[in-house]
Amino acid sequence: AYSSGWILVPGALLGLALALWRPRSRAESAFGALFLTTTVALLLEASLAGDVDRAQERYVFYVLPLAFLAFGAYASRGWPARTHLALLVSLLIAASAQVPLAGFTAAEGKSQSPFLVAAFRLEEWAGSPGSGSLVIAAVAAVFGVLAILLSTRPLLATPVVLGLALAATTAASVGAVAFDSRNASSVRAAFLPDEPSWVDRAGVGDVTLVRAPDGVRTEAMEQLFWNRSIRRVALLPGAGEVDHLFSPRLTVARDGRLLESGRELTGPVLVDGYGGTIELSGARRIAESPSYTLWSPEGPARMSLYFAGRYSDGWLAGAGRLYLWPEQPGGRISRRVAVTLSAPPASEGLTLRFQEPGKRTRDVRLEPGRPQTVNFEVCSRGAWYVTYLSSARGFVGTRVVSAQASEARVSPLACSAVTEHAPPALPTEQV
């Protein structure tokens, strides 16, 4: 209703009803049938294919030109049924008062509705949440009252109503474009390097995007949009789909090889590092974006390190794991791993509890302004991992975080004894 210019809606509904029940011609009857069946079909499409927890205007805004034609069918009759028109206007005004737009513009509720995007932009201009919705509701009420008052003068009412409807839809389009333009700039700055087609520019051939748990869907889609050499998407355990196209699930072998249905993953890979730091062995690092790294393996893609829960900006999740893999199945790992940890500056400190298989728990107390380096001596046959759990958590945006951590620094270590552990499974989700 809002997207149609609001003032158009009561007349359009009456025009549809008259075209269906009292058509003046076969053409008008056919138009009414087309309007009704198209609207119902689009609503069914939105409920089946769309996200039903948010407004699906992108599916149904094809009704807008039909609404203008239906209003024309009503106006050409001389604005009859004025009592019904006033009743419809009153119902619309009551609905706009009872269901404010502010509840729909929050978070991702507006993502599939250009009008809600425009309403959110108006709220930003107004400077306070809900104020933009109040302005829109007030304008809608004024439009409704005007429609009732003008209905007694059809020759004047028709051009005025059409003009106001066009003005309203144009203003909504301007607001949506203003938001979209700024949002596009923000997304590019956050997720892409200076050259958005950076993977294509590397010239390494067909690339597989390897998505990890907690990755940002928008960031993955940006890489796919700007780089045609990314031919497909593969998912590490726990990673979500980018879209509904086929994305094979990967498994990790005991030596860190990435396997797709038992076959080794080969060729250049673009690895998602937003929700965890991932290193490959026997591979050359070609280029990087804020969260993605382009690798060119000499053979099959093989993980050597995975710091699950360490975000690309250095924040740690509330819980996670650090993995190491040997270069061969059942091979030895003789390494020292060092990680520098820091408590958030404004916090009261926290404790990180580390647990290695077969060893006692290890608590590390962190105080603001006093970074500590934690070392792990890894003498293991087969893959190794250590879990961590924080005693305190907070939020950075929508992320649950605890401390801050450097990248894991790995160096050789002379081992006198070697332990053997069961192969660790990658977590299916982060805590």
Side-chain angles (χ1 to χ4, degrees), residues 52-424:
V52 295
D53 60 336
R54 62 194 69 172
Q56 294 293 314
E57 184 190 348
R58 68 172 183 171
Y59 285 98
V60 297
F61 56 23
Y62 304 101
V63 174
L64 177 59
L66 299 178
F68 271 82
L69 293 175
F71 173 80
Y74 171 74
S76 65
R77 293 171 182 258
W79 288 65
R82 292 169 192 165
T83 302
H84 296 84
L85 180 75
L87 177 61
L88 288 173
V89 168
S90 301
L91 291 174
L92 282 172
I93 293 176
S96 68
Q98 290 295 318
V99 188
L101 288 176
F104 296 94
T105 59
E108 294 186 353
K110 60 184 174 293
S111 62
Q112 297 176 18
S113 169
F115 184 84
L116 290 179
V117 166
F120 179 77
R121 189 71 181 109
L122 180 59
E123 289 184 353
E124 291 181 324
W125 284 330
S128 61
S131 56
S133 299
L134 182 61
V135 170
I136 293 173
V139 172
V142 171
F143 276 15
V145 172
L146 276 175
I148 295 175
L149 295 176
L150 291 171
S151 64
T152 58
R153 303 181 63 185
L155 293 179
L156 175 63
T158 299
V160 171
V161 169
L162 287 174
L164 289 175
L166 286 170
T169 54
T170 301
S173 296
V174 170
V177 170
F179 175 88
D180 192 59
S181 177
R182 191 190 62 172
N183 186 63
S185 299
S186 300
V187 167
R188 176 167 178 168
F191 298 141
L192 294 168
D194 293 337
E195 172 53 67
S197 300
W198 61 287
V199 179
D200 290 348
R201 295 293 182 267
V204 294
D206 292 348
V207 176
T208 299
L209 189 152
V210 176
R211 193 162 190 236
D214 288 343
V216 179
R217 181 171 176 265
T218 300
E219 188 169 10
M221 296 184 74
E222 288 298 308
Q223 312 306 325
L224 291 165
F225 180 86
W226 287 101
N227 297 278
R228 295 187 178 185
S229 59
I230 305 177
R231 305 299 295 176
R232 63 185 189 133
V233 177
L235 308 175
L236 286 175
E241 294 179 334
V242 176
D243 50 37
H244 296 306
L245 301 179
F246 174 68
S247 301
R249 292 276 175 185
L250 301 176
T251 56
V252 183
R254 294 192 176 189
D255 59 349
R257 285 175 300 141
L258 297 178
L259 305 178
E260 176 189 340
S261 301
R263 300 187 303 273
E264 295 174 340
L265 179 64
T266 58
V269 290
L270 182 64
V271 179
D272 178 5
Y274 177 80
T277 303
I278 296 177
E279 299 285 342
L280 302 186
S281 62
R284 183 165 54 97
R285 191 191 299 260
I286 304 296
E288 295 179 329
S289 74
S291 297
Y292 279 81
T293 303
L294 179 61
W295 297 85
S296 179
E298 296 178 0
R302 185 192 308 271
M303 296 175 67
S304 61
L305 179 146
Y306 181 23
F307 199 164
R310 180 188 179 272
Y311 291 100
S312 56
D313 58 2
W315 282 102
L316 280 183
R321 294 185 180 188
L322 172 60
Y323 299 85
L324 291 179
W325 283 272
E327 295 185 356
Q328 298 178 359
R332 294 177 55 176
I333 303 176
S334 302
R335 297 286 187 269
R336 176 180 285 106
V337 184
V339 179
T340 301
L341 303 169
S342 305
S347 71
E348 298 179 355
L350 55 89
T351 299
L352 285 177
R353 171 163 291 184
F354 294 92
Q355 177 67 65
E356 294 183 59
K359 294 186 179 181
R360 298 179 62 183
T361 59
R362 178 181 177 185
D363 291 340
V364 177
R365 180 65 186 176
L366 300 177
E367 301 292 344
R370 297 172 59 185
Q372 290 194 50
T373 299
V374 180
N375 293 284
F376 300 97
E377 294 186 351
V378 184
C379 299
S380 172
R381 186 179 302 280
W384 170 91
Y385 71 98
V386 60
T387 64
Y388 69 85
L389 180 66
S390 175
S391 64
R393 302 171 189 182
F395 286 91
V396 173
T398 59
R399 295 177 297 169
V400 178
V401 299
S402 55
Q404 292 177 306
S406 68
E407 292 189 4
R409 303 181 296 275
V410 182
S411 57
L413 175 68
C415 293
S416 57
V418 176
T419 59
E420 186 170 354
H421 308 294

Side-chain angles (χ1 to χ4, degrees), residues 15 18-20 22-33 73 76-77:
L18 291 170
L20 289 172
R22 294 181 184 176
R24 293 173 296 181
S25 65
R26 293 185 63 189
E28 192 173 79
S29 177
F31 167 74
S76 65
R77 293 171 182 258

